[in-house]
């Protein structure tokens, strides 16, 4: 069955990134996760982190001939702690949090508790913020820095609400503002020394311009204030995800950049990743929709293996994921293995126990009775 790559549930609004529909449910009961390790606010639980750049260098040395890094993209609602831990079991080197609104994060403890949960296994993790103000971004980055391996500025979200608030891909027309935001984060975190003695890293995630010369100039300005790496989505802000990614544009950016470049867009298999790196010479690839559909893609699986589904259910129960997120992740993971009739049945299941019963009955997956 052909996998459907246009996922309408990835559409979101400010309300989606301000917080979830409700508080987490469930209790940690599985040995794959524990609440004693799930905190960001107690420094006694989270040791000082290494720089993401150090972690990347170590990971690249262990790619077993692959020669490039693999990254889990920031996905609103979806790239949260249980999913980040899951994909690290299947070849992901670096994982991003969902995009978080910097102004809400800095003012709201509820936002900080809901939007960024971490533990000692969640490494390296990069916190991505959306911001239109250098002060907002620097304030949010300063709060997140002790519990993360780096921070990223979203310059790529193409949705109308984001552009109207002058965040996301709106920033592709504001190179000086982006330059100032990177500079202020660097200045604010400059006194912080990470566990490896390195400074706290700052990256940006961008799209390309119709005129690639503008993108090259954009990158140069960010480099001038010390941006540490850049992820390039190979579409303009007005292109739909159904249009092919422009690998030549990413290649040109890579040829003109002095910092590591990660290619983003149309990564749905390990073969896609290999092909994109071969064409662009990028330092790594970032996947979003491909990992939602198959969290094991970087391990070479064509479809989500049942052991991966089992791991995700256990992690979600242990960390207390909301039913909405838990259910939708599984809808994506199982899409290619279900018939249309099976999807209709599975997609209307309204509780965690109902989902677990379905998986046990139809897939023979065993779960502890405590789930």
């Amino acid at each position: 069955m052909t996998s459907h790559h246009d996922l309408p549930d990835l559409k979101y609004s400010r309300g989606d990134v301000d917080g979830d529909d409700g508080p987490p449910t469930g209790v940690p009961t599985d040995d794959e996760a524990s609440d004693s390790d799930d905190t960001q606010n107690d420094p006694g639980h989270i040791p000082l982190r290494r720089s993401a750049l150090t972690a990347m260098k170590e990971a690249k040395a262990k790619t077993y001939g692959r020669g490039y890094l693999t990254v889990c993209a920031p996905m609103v609602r979806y790239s949260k702690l249980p999913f980040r831990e899951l994909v690290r079991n299947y070849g992901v080197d670096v994982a991003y949090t969902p995009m978080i609104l910097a102004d809400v994060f800095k003012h709201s403890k509820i936002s900080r508790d809901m939007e960024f949960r971490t533990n000692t296994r969640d490494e390296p993790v990069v916190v991505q913020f959306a911001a239109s103000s250098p002060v907002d971004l620097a304030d949010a980055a300063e709060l997140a820095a002790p519990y993360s391996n780096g921070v990223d500025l979203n310059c790529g979200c193409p949705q109308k609400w984001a552009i109207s608030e002058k965040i996301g891909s709106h920033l592709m027309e504001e190179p000086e503002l982006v330059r100032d935001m990177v500079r202020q984060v660097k200045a604010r975190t400059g006194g912080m020394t990470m566990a490896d003695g390195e400074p706290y890293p700052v990256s940006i995630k961008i799209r390309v311009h119709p005129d690639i010369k503008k993108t090259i100039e954009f990158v140069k300005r960010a480099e001038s204030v010390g941006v540490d790496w850049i992820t390039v989505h190979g579409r303009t802000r007005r292109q739909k995800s159904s249009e092919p990614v422009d690998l030549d544009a990413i290649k040109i950016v890579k040829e003109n950049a002095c910092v590591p470049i990660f290619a983003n867009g149309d990564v749905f298999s390990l073969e896609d990743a290999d092909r994109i790196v071969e064409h662009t010479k990028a330092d790594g690839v970032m996947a979003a929709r491909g990992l939602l559909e198959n969290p094991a893609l970087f391990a070479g699986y064509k479809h989500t293996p049942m052991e991966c589904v089992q791991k995700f259910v256990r992690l979600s129960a242990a960390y207390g994921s909301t039913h909405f997120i838990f259910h939708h992740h599984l809808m994506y993971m199982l899409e290619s293995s279900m018939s249309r009739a099976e999807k209709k049945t599975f997609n209307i299941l309204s509780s965690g126990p109902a989902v677990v019963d379905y998986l046990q009955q139809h897939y023979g997956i065993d779960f502890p009775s405590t789930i």
Side-chain angles (χ1 to χ4, degrees):
M1 182 178 294
T2 301
S3 185
H4 179 56
H5 297 318
D6 295 321
L7 303 178
D9 292 285
L10 287 178
K11 297 293 183 183
Y12 52 89
S13 63
R14 173 174 270 271
D16 292 318
V17 291
D18 281 351
D20 287 326
D21 292 328
T25 58
V27 294
T29 55
D30 192 84
D31 60 4
E32 290 190 78
S34 71
D35 59 350
S36 65
D37 210 16
D38 180 24
T39 177
Q40 81 192 56
N41 297 317
D42 184 350
H45 283 79
I46 303 294
L48 193 63
R49 303 268 190 171
R50 301 175 300 162
S51 164
L53 285 173
T54 299
M56 288 177 186
K57 290 175 183 176
E58 292 179 1
K60 195 167 185 178
K62 299 176 182 177
T63 54
Y64 306 106
R66 189 178 66 220
Y68 60 86
L69 293 168
T70 54
V71 185
C72 174
M75 292 176 279
V76 168
R77 292 185 179 270
Y78 294 108
S79 59
K80 294 196 172 185
L81 182 59
F83 190 71
R84 296 197 300 269
E85 185 164 328
L86 178 72
V87 295
R88 286 191 176 96
N89 283 283
Y90 295 97
V92 164
D93 297 315
V94 183
Y96 280 55
T97 68
M99 183 183 79
I100 303 169
L101 297 173
D103 58 346
V104 178
F105 188 84
K106 80 175 204 176
H107 288 300
S108 169
K109 183 179 186 302
I110 294 175
S111 173
R112 293 193 291 276
D113 291 343
M114 292 293 293
E115 294 301 320
F116 180 36
R117 301 171 69 192
T118 189
N119 61 27
T120 55
R121 290 185 296 277
D122 188 27
E123 187 177 15
V125 60
V126 177
V127 180
Q128 189 190 68
F129 288 112
S132 59
S133 157
V135 173
D136 284 347
L137 181 62
D139 287 345
E142 189 174 23
L143 287 167
Y147 314 106
S148 61
N149 302 86
V151 70
D152 181 81
L153 173 63
N154 183 309
C155 303
C157 178
Q159 295 188 31
K160 290 181 181 179
W161 74 268
I163 293 172
S164 70
E165 295 204 20
K166 302 187 185 306
I167 62 176
S169 61
H170 168 83
L171 295 176
M172 294 307 299
E173 303 305 320
E174 300 281 355
E176 279 301 311
L177 176 59
V178 171
R179 181 178 182 274
D180 194 32
M181 285 198 272
V182 172
R183 183 185 62 79
Q184 289 210 30
V185 173
K186 283 286 188 179
R188 186 73 65 83
T189 60
M192 174 185 174
T193 302
M194 306 198 75
D196 52 7
E198 296 295 321
Y200 187 68
V202 182
S203 65
I204 57 175
K205 185 175 185 293
I206 68 174
R207 286 184 172 243
V208 294
H209 299 87
D211 181 357
I212 197 62
K213 292 179 182 178
K214 288 185 65 175
T215 311
I216 294 170
E217 177 59 26
F218 191 101
V219 167
K220 293 297 184 185
R221 292 192 192 193
E223 287 181 331
S224 72
V225 289
V227 74
D228 290 285
W229 73 88
I230 299 173
T231 302
V232 183
H233 185 107
R235 295 184 179 92
T236 69
R237 76 181 197 184
R238 291 184 172 83
Q239 285 183 293
K240 297 180 179 179
S241 60
S242 56
E243 298 181 58
V245 69
D246 188 345
L247 296 182
D248 287 334
I250 299 174
K251 179 180 180 181
I252 292 170
V253 172
K254 171 60 182 173
E255 289 172 345
N256 287 273
C258 298
V259 297
I261 298 293
F262 296 94
N264 177 222
D266 290 354
V267 182
F268 296 103
S269 68
L270 188 58
E271 290 76 18
D272 287 339
D274 290 341
R275 173 180 54 82
I276 289 168
V277 171
E278 176 64 26
H279 188 100
T280 65
K281 309 305 180 187
D283 298 276
V285 293
M286 174 184 281
R289 292 174 293 151
L291 280 174
L292 276 183
E293 295 174 11
N294 177 12
L297 79 83
F298 286 129
Y301 288 90
K302 302 297 184 184
H303 304 284
T304 305
M306 285 302 110
E307 68 169 37
C308 180
V309 173
Q310 185 178 47
K311 282 180 181 290
F312 180 72
V313 172
R314 288 176 170 170
L315 287 166
S316 295
Y319 286 128
S321 296
T322 63
H323 175 70
F324 175 90
I325 296 174
F326 169 67
H327 192 199
H328 277 67
H329 267 299
L330 291 171
M331 287 163 62
Y332 298 139
M333 290 182 200
L334 297 171
E335 184 178 12
S336 64
S337 64
M338 285 183 170
S339 67
R340 182 172 297 181
E342 288 172 329
K343 289 177 187 177
K344 286 183 178 180
T345 300
F346 185 79
N347 292 357
I348 62 172
L349 297 177
S350 59
S351 70
V355 171
V356 170
D357 287 345
Y358 186 96
L359 294 174
Q360 288 176 324
Q361 293 171 14
H362 292 79
Y363 290 91
I365 301 177
D366 292 324
F367 300 103
S369 59
T370 49
I371 289 183

